[in-house]
Amino acid sequence: MKHNKKANPRILVVTPEITSLPAGMNNMGGCLRAKAGGLADVSASLVSALYRQGADVHVALPHYRRMFHIDVGKLISNELRVYMSNLHNSRIHLAEDRIFYYRDTVYSSYDSDSFLQALAFQREVINNIIPVVKPDLIHCNDWMTGLIPAAARRMGIPCLFTVHNIHTHKRTLAEIEDRGIDAAPFWQNLFFERQPFNYEESRNNNPVDFLASGIFASHFINTVSPTFLKEIVENYHDFVPESVRKEISGKFYAGCASGILNSPDEECDPETDEFLECRYNSTNHAAGKAVNKIAFQARTGLHVDQNAPLFFWPHRLDPVQKGCTLLADTLYEIVHRHWESNLQIAIVANGQYQQVFKDIIAFHNFYDRVTVCDFDEQLSRLGFAAADFMLMPSRFEPCGLPQMTCQYYGAIPVVHDTGGLHDTVNMFNDDGTQGNGIVFCNYDSYALRWAVDEAMRFYRRPAEWKNGVISRIMVEARKRFNHDVTAQEYIKIYESMLSRPLVVD
């Protein structure tokens, strides 16, 4: 394949989800929103930052018509011509397949359906989008793009592969090819369950590991935090598939792996957030947060008291990863230890452990002190603005965004020392001049209870001192955790892979 010869190298970002795209890339960019998790925010922020900095960046994503609120059947002929022109004369390239058109969510709860989606997406990228875009470099994300690096290597295009999560899927070459992807030219660049003897022998009975293939075939990889990369290489987590760990380790020891932290959504700014009762900044946060706390308490059924210390849980209730079992084990003790202070806990999250917390609340009649609500973006933003502390006792964390987002809003993170949490939260020193949160090392409910006690000790400090520390954290978070900082780290990798500047004036 002939590469683009423009002064600015052309980058193709391939992602199954995204929250928004810069208006300048295409006048449809604002409606192309499909989000399941942090990958959507990271993709949007990276593309926006690259575009702002003048990079020749293109994006490939599935055409989720329903989620994009586009009804092609209702478009009149002229509107349809404009619509199709917008699609084909832009930097946004939508993978077309009926499996995407009527979806309400990015991922399916059925394994077979997710597999078909992934193959349809990759088929369109390999067969149609790459030949049209003619990229100089391709940036893929997670297992749903795991076959593309192998095809890109065959085409002579360098590929960066970002590992956001360690989930993977396995399917045979026969199943892959039955969905329209001719893998014969690049099958030797894929990672199989066992060592393949030849193409024919492996086609029907030697499954391809999608995530391991993406890592194996790519020229460079990154995880979404430096510490999580180190934990994988050192075999710290027993849940990481051995194939994935070995391939990541191989890239790491070859000098072809790094960790790059994600950044919070740009819309998460208490000075401009439309979902807040009262907007504020680092200089007037005390008054602003008090107003938002009252509004949040009233909406969620908590006792309305602006002086009540409020702990906020904004991430999914996943007992395997997120540490909600620790909170459940010690919830009664935490509330009673700080009963006189009217300590409150607000959970705005979905997940299988939601009912466990509802049962605890009912059993102990904690209705005005502990609340559990389904996730809602507006309520979650208000929760960040209302909260004094944010709870994130994750067992493991590839990166995490709430521990950074809460600092934007002047809420103090209370976290377990792991993965991306280790890289973004440091324990306060005694005089409050350094550090930005409360960190506990042992993964158990006693350590979490200690961390809450430490948070309450911070809360009881003199208001003037405490407000000064929070102001410092808010200012530093904006400088340290932002999209341009993240984009610059990716640009460094791009330029290293291309051995030339990404943007030429």
Side-chain angles (χ1 to χ4, degrees):
M1 173 174 289
K2 292 182 180 180
H3 287 187
N4 175 40
K5 298 300 183 181
K6 288 170 54 180
N8 289 8
R10 181 168 293 173
I11 309 300
L12 176 62
V13 177
V14 183
T15 176
E17 51 179 299
I18 204 160
T19 50
S20 63
L21 287 164
M25 289 183 70
N26 180 283
N27 59 15
M28 293 174 55
C31 71
L32 303 182
R33 178 183 177 87
K35 179 178 178 177
L39 171 56
D41 296 313
V42 175
S43 298
S45 65
L46 174 60
V47 171
S48 295
L50 289 170
Y51 185 74
R52 281 197 303 270
Q53 296 182 34
D56 185 9
V57 59
H58 290 243
V59 180
L61 68 155
H63 192 176
Y64 302 111
R65 288 181 184 173
R66 177 170 292 178
M67 283 186 278
F68 297 162
H69 304 292
I70 298 168
D71 189 341
V72 174
K74 291 183 179 180
L75 295 177
I76 61 176
S77 59
N78 187 55
E79 290 175 333
L80 184 59
R81 282 195 296 272
V82 173
Y83 169 67
M84 296 304 294
S85 176
N86 285 334
L87 291 184
H88 295 292
N89 294 286
S90 72
R91 296 167 182 251
I92 302 170
H93 309 272
L94 301 183
E96 302 288 347
D97 192 280
R98 191 179 186 281
I99 198 170
F100 307 128
Y101 295 162
Y102 306 103
R103 296 201 55 78
D104 294 314
T105 58
V106 173
Y107 304 113
S108 171
S109 57
Y110 298 100
D111 181 76
S112 59
D113 196 26
S114 293
F115 161 68
L116 294 177
Q117 284 178 249
L119 287 188
F121 182 36
Q122 294 175 97
R123 180 198 69 220
E124 291 302 297
V125 171
I126 293 170
N127 295 349
N128 298 318
I129 295 177
I130 292 177
V132 168
V133 176
K134 297 181 175 62
D136 294 283
L137 185 146
I138 300 174
H139 182 175
C140 292
N141 294 275
D142 267 355
W143 76 269
M144 283 189 72
T145 66
L147 303 178
I148 296 172
R153 183 174 283 271
R154 174 69 177 182
M155 298 175 192
I157 305 173
C159 192
L160 169 66
F161 191 82
T162 299
V163 181
H164 297 266
N165 296 289
I166 46 78
H167 306 299
T168 189
H169 285 251
K170 297 180 181 180
R171 290 295 189 276
T172 64
L173 283 171
E175 292 174 286
I176 292 169
E177 295 189 329
D178 284 348
R179 306 306 298 184
I181 299 175
D182 182 10
F186 59 83
W187 74 273
Q188 291 174 310
N189 296 331
L190 298 172
F191 188 98
F192 292 85
E193 194 170 82
R194 58 172 173 77
Q195 182 71 32
F197 292 105
N198 54 54
Y199 170 82
E200 290 77 12
E201 174 274 332
S202 286
R203 186 175 187 273
N204 291 294
N205 57 20
N206 191 4
V208 174
D209 185 318
F210 280 45
L211 184 61
S213 288
I215 299 165
F216 171 68
S218 59
H219 295 74
F220 201 98
I221 69 159
N222 74 282
T223 59
V224 286
S225 74
T227 295
F228 191 65
L229 173 61
K230 180 181 178 182
E231 290 172 349
I232 293 174
V233 171
E234 295 179 355
N235 203 17
Y236 192 81
H237 302 297
D238 58 9
F239 54 81
V240 177
E242 185 62 12
S243 58
V244 171
R245 189 193 70 79
K246 285 185 175 180
E247 288 308 307
I248 289 178
S249 297
K251 283 290 195 290
F252 176 81
Y253 288 117
C256 298
S258 67
I260 300 177
L261 287 169
N262 294 336
S263 299
D265 191 329
E266 288 182 325
E267 294 182 359
C268 295
D269 183 349
E271 198 162 15
T272 59
D273 195 332
E274 61 181 339
F275 299 142
L276 304 192
E277 188 74 15
C278 175
R279 294 170 188 157
Y280 59 93
N281 55 37
S282 61
T283 62
N284 61 0
H285 62 83
K289 288 184 69 67
V291 173
N292 287 298
K293 181 182 288 187
I294 291 172
F296 182 80
Q297 289 168 329
R299 284 185 58 180
T300 58
L302 293 170
H303 177 65
V304 177
D305 176 7
Q306 70 176 39
N307 296 314
L310 176 60
F311 289 75
F312 182 44
W313 182 293
H315 43 99
R316 70 184 186 276
L317 293 168
D318 174 3
V320 175
Q321 178 185 353
K322 295 298 184 179
C324 46
T325 56
L326 303 189
L327 181 59
D329 288 345
T330 193
L331 181 61
Y332 174 83
E333 183 68 20
I334 286 174
V335 172
H336 269 273
R337 283 165 75 92
H338 303 285
W339 188 268
E340 296 302 320
S341 298
N342 195 23
L343 179 147
Q344 298 178 347
I345 298 175
I347 298 171
V348 180
N350 300 328
Q352 64 188 88
Y353 230 65
Q354 192 183 78
Q355 189 59 48
V356 173
F357 286 106
K358 289 181 178 179
D359 291 343
I360 294 172
I361 293 168
F363 186 82
H364 295 291
N365 193 27
F366 282 167
Y367 290 106
D368 62 348
R369 294 175 183 262
V370 183
T371 187
V372 179
C373 307
D374 288 339
F375 177 79
D376 174 85
E377 183 69 29
Q378 297 184 23
L379 185 61
S380 184
R381 298 265 201 91
L382 183 60
F384 278 117
D388 300 290
F389 304 97
M390 191 283 306
L391 293 170
M392 201 164 179
S394 303
R395 181 192 300 271
F396 66 94
E397 197 61 64
C399 178
L401 289 175
Q403 82 278 11
M404 292 182 271
T405 302
C406 72
Q407 296 176 52
Y408 279 21
Y409 288 87
I412 305 301
V414 179
V415 306
H416 175 225
D417 188 21
T418 187
L421 302 178
H422 175 87
D423 295 324
T424 54
V425 183
N426 305 107
M427 188 72 187
F428 288 125
N429 62 354
D430 289 339
D431 63 8
T433 57
Q434 295 179 357
N436 57 359
I438 312 293
V439 181
F440 65 96
C441 297
N442 294 334
Y443 184 76
D444 57 51
S445 58
Y446 301 103
L448 174 58
R449 190 189 311 162
W450 170 86
V452 171
D453 289 345
E454 285 295 298
M456 289 300 298
R457 190 165 72 89
F458 176 91
Y459 189 78
R460 296 186 180 109
R461 298 288 290 269
E464 184 177 358
W465 177 89
K466 182 173 62 176
N467 291 337
V469 173
I470 293 172
S471 294
R472 173 182 64 78
I473 290 171
M474 293 177 70
V475 171
E476 290 177 356
R478 279 287 172 186
K479 294 178 180 178
R480 183 181 174 192
F481 311 125
N482 67 71
H483 297 152
D484 287 331
V485 170
T486 297
Q488 277 302 125
E489 291 302 309
Y490 279 105
I491 287 173
K492 289 178 184 177
I493 294 178
Y494 293 164
E495 292 181 336
S496 174
M497 292 173 66
L498 294 165
S499 298
R500 56 175 163 149
L502 185 66
V503 177
V504 180
D505 295 330

